[in-house]
Amino acid sequence: MERLDVQPSEAEERTRDRVLATVLESGPVSAADLGALLGFTPAAVRRHLDALERLDLIEVKPVKAARTGAGRPARRYVLSRSGQARLGNDYLDIASDALAELVLLGGPVAIEAFAKRRFDDMEARYRPIVEAAGASVEARAVALAGALSEDGFVASTAMVGQETPHKPDMLSVQLCQGHCPIRDLASEYPTFCDSETDVFARLLGVDVRRLSTLASGGHVCTTHIPVGRARKQEVSIHQQERP
């Protein structure tokens, strides 16, 4: 087993910082894609990833294939909480100070307005992707998860419950996000999570409910998306359209 240098050279430290910064910008990212972005050989990429993983600066997120969902989950790298702190302390301190100043000047309403503007941009970018998936809530949720993953949220969907004639509302989709780039800020200002939830509801066209968030200490952000009632309405519309 390769020994991890306790005190890496200055050049080695700079290279690790480059790898860490690239994971931050491109994560979740595979080792192969990371090597292509940095121009490193597979052996060099693996050596740096192993070192950063042992230092608890990055972590592995298994991601299912987007198209089939079958087979062995692919390994994708994202920053750990420690890695985010190493690269993001200045950013987080400045952002936290700026938001605190915003509260002093405009009160909680100012934070809510700021969060809404930020997530309005997300909604505008995601809407064409989600609407291209069609009217099905399940398909729209899958498309939303794909868009979130492209932005580094490591999102996935899973069907939960069982549809029956007497309880059509029991069927739902759970949308999970394994990573949040603004987790520490959202811990201090939950309105960021609330604004994101509102965007999900508007994009999917149904009322959704947050079951857990990374910002509040959960292992993942989980959003409950009811689909049973929507399916029932779709069936009713089709029946009415029949001659």
Side-chain angles (χ1 to χ4, degrees), residues 63-74 157:
V63 178
K64 290 183 179 180
R67 293 183 179 177
T68 64
R72 193 176 193 179
T157 60

Side-chain angles (χ1 to χ4, degrees), residues 186-233:
S187 297
E188 192 171 355
Y189 301 100
T191 188
F192 284 98
C193 295
D194 296 339
S195 294
E196 185 183 64
T197 305
D198 291 341
V199 167
F200 290 174
R202 290 195 296 270
L203 288 173
L204 298 173
V206 295
D207 291 331
V208 304
R209 180 164 55 94
R210 267 277 161 76
L211 302 181
S212 66
T213 63
L214 286 160
S216 62
H219 295 296
V220 295
C221 296
T222 304
T223 304
H224 173 87
I225 305 168
V227 300
R229 182 176 300 176
R231 280 191 174 186
K232 185 179 180 181
Q233 291 174 346

Side-chain angles (χ1 to χ4, degrees), residues 10-171:
E10 184 177 347
E12 188 83 357
E13 188 72 22
R14 287 199 303 269
T15 302
R16 288 183 187 173
D17 284 343
R18 282 185 61 202
V19 174
L20 194 62
T22 306
V23 172
L24 172 65
E25 294 170 359
S26 305
V29 61
S30 68
D33 289 341
L34 193 62
L37 288 169
L38 294 170
F40 291 170
T41 65
V45 171
R46 177 58 56 194
R47 178 164 58 86
H48 292 302
L49 287 174
D50 286 346
L52 292 170
E53 194 171 0
R54 293 181 188 180
L55 290 169
D56 192 31
L57 296 176
I58 62 172
E59 58 189 31
V60 175
K61 293 289 185 183
V63 178
K64 290 183 179 180
R67 293 183 179 177
T68 64
R72 193 176 193 179
R75 290 169 61 89
R76 298 288 187 270
Y77 292 90
V78 297
L79 261 65
S80 65
R81 182 181 288 270
S82 298
Q84 290 173 347
R86 174 164 171 168
L87 284 184
N89 271 342
D90 292 342
Y91 154 75
L92 288 172
D93 288 344
I94 293 172
S96 183
D97 289 346
L99 292 178
E101 188 70 17
L102 187 60
V103 171
L104 288 176
L105 295 173
V109 175
I111 291 291
E112 293 172 5
F114 174 80
K116 183 179 182 304
R117 286 195 300 271
R118 182 184 187 279
F119 284 99
D120 280 349
D121 175 68
M122 171 189 277
E123 181 176 359
R125 290 188 297 107
Y126 287 5
R127 183 165 293 283
I129 299 171
V130 173
E131 290 186 347
S136 166
V137 176
E138 300 101 301
R140 292 170 77 93
V142 171
L144 175 57
L148 286 165
S149 289
E150 287 293 324
D151 278 350
F153 289 90
V154 194
S156 62
T157 60
M159 190 70 72
V160 178
Q162 189 172 18
E163 185 177 28
T164 66
H166 301 293
K167 295 182 178 180
D169 298 344
M170 298 301 290
L171 193 65

